[in-house]
């Protein structure tokens, strides 16, 4: 939650409409076949796509999803990382409440696998609520990713936790990992508390 967007019950955050239209999705095979006469572009694609050119990378057989979101990690300098496991029962996540010390800077890291095909225009959207009222919204452009056998990740820019007695308390968060094609890769809810100290 940025310090410029600290909670205020009367604030409303309006969506800004975008005229951007994403290009139609292409398979890895189609991407490799295009522009074969351009040597530098061909080498660039090989570097970008790696093993995805030679094999169909599947992390979870039987799972048609292209993005498998595994973890949310809260990172703050000098503190042990706090991890939310996103591979289990999502309905239980709100039972795990992160504590964030008021006024500190922190980042959120999302860890995920990409399988089957390239995903383009990944986005992480986070809405924060206090007492049922939306007090903050963040939208981060994550980017485009090729399938890999290794876990991939995205880390948000530094955020400032609000400080002061008024902002201490319990918050609920609705998180969404989506893309340009409006595919909902994962949606989950979790909680945190702003406290005077980490303990």
């Amino acid at each position: 939650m940025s310090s410029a967007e600290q909670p205020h019950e009367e604030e409303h955050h309006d969506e800004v409409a975008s005229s951007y239209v994403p290009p139609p999705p292409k398979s890895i095979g189609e991407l490799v076949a295009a522009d074969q006469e351009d040597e530098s572009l061909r080498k660039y694609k090989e570097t970008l796509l790696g093993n995805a050119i030679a094999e169909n990378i599947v992390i979870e057989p039987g799972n048609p999803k292209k993005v498998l979101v595994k973890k949310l990690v809260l990172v703050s300098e000098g503190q042990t990382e706090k991890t939310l496991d996103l591979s289990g029962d999502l309905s239980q996540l709100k039972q795990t409440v992160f504590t964030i010390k008021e006024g500190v800077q922190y980042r959120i890291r999302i860890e995920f696998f990409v399988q089957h095909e390239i995903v383009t225009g990944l986005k992480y959207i986070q809405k924060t609520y206090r007492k049922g009222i939306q007090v903050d919204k963040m939208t981060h452009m994550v980017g485009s990713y090729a399938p890999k056998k290794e876990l991939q990740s995205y880390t948000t820019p530094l955020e400032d936790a609000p400080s002061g007695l008024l902002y201490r308390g319990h918050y609920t968060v609705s998180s969404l990992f989506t893309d340009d094609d409006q595919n909902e890769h994962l949606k989950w809810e979790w909680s945190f508390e702003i406290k005077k100290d980490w303990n």
Side-chain angles (χ1 to χ4, degrees), residues 83-140:
T83 302
L84 205 59
D85 182 359
L86 302 176
S87 61
D89 184 355
L90 298 179
S91 67
Q92 298 300 308
L93 293 181
K94 288 206 305 192
Q95 310 304 318
T96 305
V97 181
F98 287 157
T99 295
I100 302 176
K101 180 182 176 182
E102 63 179 358
V104 302
Q105 291 190 312
Y106 67 94
R107 301 177 193 267
I108 291 172
R109 186 174 74 243
I110 310 290
E111 299 183 358
F112 56 94
F113 287 105
V114 176
Q115 63 176 5
H116 301 305
E117 291 290 346
I118 294 168
V119 288
T120 58
L122 277 175
K123 284 186 281 195
Y124 173 60
I125 300 169
Q126 177 177 300
K127 295 178 182 178
T128 305
Y129 299 84
R130 189 175 187 194
K131 298 176 182 176
I133 297 169
Q134 184 178 318
V135 294
D136 190 52
K137 179 178 179 182
M138 301 187 305
T139 300
H140 295 291

Side-chain angles (χ1 to χ4, degrees), residues 42-107:
R42 185 180 63 78
K43 286 183 177 177
Y44 171 72
K45 287 179 187 176
E46 287 176 0
T47 303
L48 182 69
L49 297 173
N51 291 339
I53 294 176
E55 57 183 307
N56 178 27
I57 293 177
V58 180
I59 306 299
E60 293 182 5
N63 189 339
K65 286 191 170 186
K66 290 193 275 187
V67 180
L68 309 171
V69 187
K70 295 297 180 183
K71 290 179 184 176
L72 179 146
V73 185
L74 187 71
V75 183
S76 185
E77 191 173 343
Q79 293 296 309
T80 304
E81 293 185 350
K82 300 170 191 280
T83 302
L84 205 59
D85 182 359
L86 302 176
S87 61
D89 184 355
L90 298 179
S91 67
Q92 298 300 308
L93 293 181
K94 288 206 305 192
Q95 310 304 318
T96 305
V97 181
F98 287 157
T99 295
I100 302 176
K101 180 182 176 182
E102 63 179 358
V104 302
Q105 291 190 312
Y106 67 94
R107 301 177 193 267

